[in-house]
Amino acid sequence: MADEVRVIGIPRGLLFYKYGVMWQTFFEELGFKVVLSPKTDRAVFEAGEAASVDEVCLASKVYMGHVVALLEGGECDAIFVPSYNSGDVRAGFCTKYQSLPDLVEATFHERAAKFITMRVQKANDHKSARLDFIELAHRLNASPKQALRAYKQAMRAQEAANSSRVSSQQETLRLLTKYRKVAASDPTGTEQAPLVILLVAHPYIAHDPYIAGDIVAAIEGMGATVIFADETDHATAFKRSFDFSDTLPWMINRELVGAILQTYDKIDGIVLLSAFPCGPDSMFDDAVMRNMHGVPILNLMIDAQSGSAGMETRIESFIDILRFQGKGRYLNA
Ligand code: SF4
């Protein structure tokens, strides 16, 4: 297969937002050209919706739209569709990530499409994941030495990208904390620190411009600063999540709730954003809403029909309430 494959397409959806840097670096280190699908827009979403059954979640539909975009773009010889598992009942992955190759191949079996699939059995176990990637490189005709080097480079690139996001977020929080102190010590009360809103969502929701772009813009348009729960240190957030629950079964949800606990005293409010119908979030959101006290939470659900329409009003009200509360106008605040 590898002899016929020179250009590999990667759909810009689902775990691309968590591991995309690694995947792209891995293939480039093996000598392939990588083409990413375009950023999500209405056309991508509608193509994905047309290719999907009604019942799947919005994020899966968007992913399918990215596969269609790559197929119709005609630039790539094969499309990379991995399956991810964690092998850990306390840090599992949504079944969508596990079944993705089967779902994509079954959906597009009538097209003359080539898919490169792989199964990452234990994403958080480096030794195990390394073997999975080396096995893939072997199928792509790489030597053991090339395979190992590509994997190491790919890991380094992903870790560097993660660290850069974490550092940038920490710097933002450091500056905002400083502003808060200045504002709090202003005897005239005229200094006001910007509100800090933590956006808690799966990374392919939070950073997809079509899904969450309007929501982020609406928060920022109200003069608040958005920080992203998935941009805190994943390992630390994961450990902290056990303070919230011993039994929560999904790794990304653990990283998100750990991020809430890590940033709790530096934020003014939380926007908890999910894509309909999301199995893990239906439980997770409810658990956070019921058990996370002290920080106001706005829970938003985006579905394929309405998108983010009407959410601006809810966001404006939420920010107004936070500002009003910040001025000490609520007796029970
Ligand atoms: S976690 Fe939720 S939004 Fe993400 S793929 Fe699974 S069902 Fe869809």
Side-chain angles (χ1 to χ4, degrees):
M1 179 226 271
D3 292 340
E4 306 148 39
V5 175
R6 296 277 175 276
V7 182
I8 296 175
I10 303 183
R12 201 189 286 261
L14 293 178
L15 292 180
F16 169 79
Y17 283 91
K18 189 169 174 62
Y19 299 118
V21 171
M22 180 185 182
W23 299 340
Q24 181 167 359
T25 308
F26 179 72
F27 289 123
E28 286 175 348
E29 286 292 322
L30 291 177
F32 295 95
K33 182 181 171 196
V34 170
V35 173
L36 303 181
S37 57
K39 290 186 177 165
T40 313
D41 58 15
R42 175 159 282 281
V44 167
F45 168 66
E46 286 179 352
E49 193 174 32
S52 306
V53 293
D54 286 347
E55 290 74 20
V56 298
C57 68
L58 177 69
S60 292
K61 289 177 181 171
V62 168
Y63 186 88
M64 288 298 182
H66 284 279
V67 176
V68 173
L70 288 169
L71 288 172
E72 294 186 348
E75 276 185 87
C76 49
D77 305 314
I79 299 175
F80 178 57
V81 183
S83 161
Y84 266 73
N85 200 349
S86 76
D88 184 344
V89 290
R90 294 282 181 272
F93 276 142
C94 172
T95 49
K96 298 282 188 322
Y97 316 150
Q98 298 169 39
S99 59
L100 210 50
D102 297 333
L103 194 63
V104 169
E105 284 181 325
T107 303
F108 299 104
H109 70 279
E110 286 176 354
R111 301 211 189 194
K114 197 173 281 176
F115 296 105
I116 296 173
T117 63
M118 73 177 295
R119 298 206 182 271
V120 178
Q121 309 287 350
K122 294 180 183 174
N124 271 6
D125 177 337
H126 289 314
K127 275 191 191 162
S128 170
R130 185 173 64 199
L131 288 177
D132 295 329
F133 275 88
I134 286 174
E135 186 274 327
L136 170 63
H138 178 68
R139 275 192 276 134
L140 296 170
N141 293 342
S143 69
K145 197 173 163 190
Q146 284 172 319
L148 187 59
R149 193 184 59 216
Y151 177 77
K152 284 184 177 171
Q153 290 290 89
M155 279 297 290
R156 274 190 213 115
Q158 187 65 61
E159 282 166 9
N162 293 350
S163 299
S164 159
R165 289 184 202 124
V166 171
S167 305
S168 160
Q169 177 141 298
Q170 281 174 344
E171 179 59 11
T172 304
L173 281 171
R174 191 187 67 74
L175 288 173
L176 288 165
T177 305
K178 203 167 140 190
Y179 289 149
R180 281 175 174 224
K181 282 186 187 153
V182 171
S185 61
D186 173 23
T188 66
T190 49
E191 287 285 345
Q192 273 201 9
L195 292 176
V196 184
I197 304 298
L198 181 69
L199 184 63
V200 179
H202 282 76
Y204 43 84
I205 304 291
H207 301 287
D208 186 303
Y210 184 74
I211 302 179
D214 287 348
I215 289 166
V216 173
I219 299 170
E220 291 178 342
M222 293 286 290
T225 299
V226 178
I227 60 167
F228 294 90
D230 67 295
E231 292 186 346
T232 50
D233 179 69
H234 292 161
T236 315
F238 180 79
K239 276 188 202 143
R240 280 299 301 273
S241 73
F242 285 86
D243 293 344
F244 180 80
S245 167
D246 271 340
T247 53
L248 188 66
W250 303 287
M251 184 169 81
I252 294 182
N253 292 99
R254 280 200 170 278
E255 291 170 355
L256 296 176
V257 78
I260 297 177
L261 296 176
Q262 278 180 275
T263 54
Y264 194 74
D265 55 345
K266 303 179 188 75
I267 57 176
D268 299 290
I270 293 171
V271 171
L272 194 53
L273 179 63
S274 297
F276 182 82
C278 174
D281 280 359
S282 64
M283 191 191 113
F284 174 74
D285 288 3
D286 196 51
V288 169
M289 297 290 289
R290 284 170 190 265
N291 297 304
M292 199 64 79
H293 304 294
V295 176
I297 303 174
L298 175 65
N299 190 197
L300 299 175
M301 177 77 71
I302 301 188
D303 66 37
Q305 272 70 44
S306 56
S308 57
M311 290 192 179
E312 285 85 354
T313 315
R314 294 182 64 192
I315 289 165
E316 281 169 19
S317 305
F318 183 60
I319 303 283
D320 277 343
I321 291 167
L322 292 180
R323 288 226 164 90
F324 198 70
Q325 187 183 33
K327 289 177 185 166
R329 303 276 168 80
Y330 289 121
L331 290 178
N332 294 322

